[in-house]
């Protein structure tokens, strides 16, 4: 058992840093003994008022229950926390939004721990970030098999059954999705520069993600795919663009994405549209519609030139990456 010398919280023997304040943990036997303040001197001329005994660890009736709301995922955190327990975002940053409505995904501090179910996820590194998981008993995550970086020898693994495997294989989509089960440790990396985007999904949410962008998802999240017709026909003369769809029912889940470059998000109002380069698309709420349009350029000798853009129409969130990446299935 390890203990945080700052907040006195206890963690498992394999944990290194406190998930609340980031302090390095020490063995419980090495923790400093708590200091007990000396009692105030008793004034004999003053009558002593007896108080009713209090239950151990019960909060005082006058103490208000204070929480800090995470600006990124809206999770509730203890007032002493420095990073969000659900997404790792620093709690001392303001929700900065550009004049056009885009906000940058939070930079997760190196070695930040994120909690889901009985498990923890630690984000390590910045240039090519790694997600290291300590899976608890009964928890599992699924992932594309080539993003596995390392795992404990005894961490159980299996294959998740998928529908439409032949169609996915012909379209260049991953048709083998692996499962890692707790207890055990396992780490993942997309093997590319960029940043990890942590998206806690609350019950009843649906999120569409660009293919080959998701790093891992907890087993409570249902996984399927959808196809956007016309994009590949426009760009490369093929069938269309596929997107991974992640759906939660009555339980929350954790989804980690890899974005090339920096990641930005914008919330579209009902009926509001933006046009974007298809290679910049990263994720969207399923309520946001996506259509491919050609913008004709009719200036001078280049009158026949067109620009292919994706029209995104709200309501809902849209996420983009600052590096344009076209996979062979786009």
């Amino acid at each position: 058992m390890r203990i945080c010398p700052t907040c006195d919280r206890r963690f498992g023997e394999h944990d290194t840093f406190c998930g609340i304040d980031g302090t390095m943990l020490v063995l419980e036997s090495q923790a400093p003994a708590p200091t007990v303040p000396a009692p105030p001197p008793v004034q004999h001329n003053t009558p002593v008022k007896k108080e009713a005994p209090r239950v151990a660890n019960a909060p005082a009736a006058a103490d208000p229950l204070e929480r800090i709301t995470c600006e990124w995922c809206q999770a509730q955190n203890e007032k002493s926390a420095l990073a969000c327990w659900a997404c790792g975002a620093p709690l001392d940053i303001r929700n900065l939004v550009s004049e056009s409505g885009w906000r940058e995904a939070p930079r997760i501090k190196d070695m930040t721990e994120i909690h889901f179910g009985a498990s923890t996820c630690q984000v390590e590194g910045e240039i090519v970030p790694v997600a290291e998981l300590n899976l608890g008993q009964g928890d599992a995550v699924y992932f594309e098999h080539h993003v596995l970086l390392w795992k404990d020898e005894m961490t159980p693994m299996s294959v998740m059954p998928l529908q439409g495997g032949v169609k996915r294989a012909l379209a260049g989509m991953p048709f083998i999705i692996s499962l890692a089960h707790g207890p055990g440790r396992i780490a993942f990396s997309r093997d590319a520069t960029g940043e990890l985007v942590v998206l806690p999904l609350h019950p009843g949410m649906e999120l569409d993600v660009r293919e080959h962008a998701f790093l891992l998802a907890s087993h409570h999240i249902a996984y399927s795919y959808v196809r956007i017709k016309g994009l590949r026909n426009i760009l490369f003369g093929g069938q269309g663009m596929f997107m991974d769809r992640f759906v939660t029912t009555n339980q929350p889940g954790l989804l980690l994405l890899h974005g090339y470059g920096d990641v930005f998000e914008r919330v579209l109002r009902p009926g509001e549209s933006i046009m974007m380069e298809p290679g910049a698309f990263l994720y969207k709420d399923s309520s946001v519609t996506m259509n491919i349009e050609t913008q004709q350029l009719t200036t001078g000798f280049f009158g026949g030139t067109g620009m292919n853009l994706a029209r995104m129409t709200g309501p809902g969130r849209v996420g983009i990456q600052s590096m344009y990446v076209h996979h062979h299935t786009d």
Side-chain angles (χ1 to χ4, degrees), residues 18-73:
C18 176
I20 303 300
D21 52 38
T23 305
M24 180 170 289
L25 304 177
V26 298
L27 293 174
E28 193 169 13
S29 58
Q30 300 175 349
T35 57
V36 180
V42 178
Q43 299 180 3
H44 297 285
N45 295 332
T46 303
V48 178
K49 180 181 179 182
K50 295 183 178 181
E51 296 183 354
R54 292 181 58 188
V55 179
N57 300 326
D63 294 341
L65 188 63
E66 298 184 19
R67 290 288 185 266
I68 300 177
T69 301
C70 175
E71 295 283 1
W72 176 250
C73 72

Side-chain angles (χ1 to χ4, degrees), residues 11 43 53-54 102 113 145 152 159 183 193 208 223 258 294:
F11 296 85
Q43 299 180 3
R54 292 181 58 188
W102 292 97
E113 273 197 352
H145 68 279
D152 286 343
V159 175
T193 57
D208 296 331
Y223 175 63
H258 177 274
T294 300

Side-chain angles (χ1 to χ4, degrees), residues 243-287:
M243 294 187 296
D244 294 317
R245 172 161 288 183
F246 300 91
V247 181
T248 56
T249 53
N250 58 349
Q251 294 190 57
L254 184 69
L255 175 65
L256 264 67
L257 309 180
H258 177 274
Y260 291 92
D262 295 310
V263 176
F264 300 87
E265 180 185 273
R266 179 170 170 177
V267 179
L268 299 177
R269 298 185 300 271
E272 182 182 9
S273 294
I274 58 171
M275 309 291 289
M276 71 168 59
E277 212 286 335
F281 167 72
L282 184 59
Y283 66 89
K284 69 179 183 68
D285 287 329
S286 62
S287 57

Side-chain angles (χ1 to χ4, degrees), residues 80-110:
S80 59
L82 301 179
C84 178
W85 68 271
C87 72
L91 295 176
D92 58 346
I93 63 170
R94 297 184 180 274
N95 190 19
L96 299 178
V97 181
S98 67
E99 292 184 0
S100 59
W102 292 97
R103 63 172 180 169
E104 186 175 1
R107 286 285 182 181
I108 301 177
K109 186 179 178 181
D110 191 16

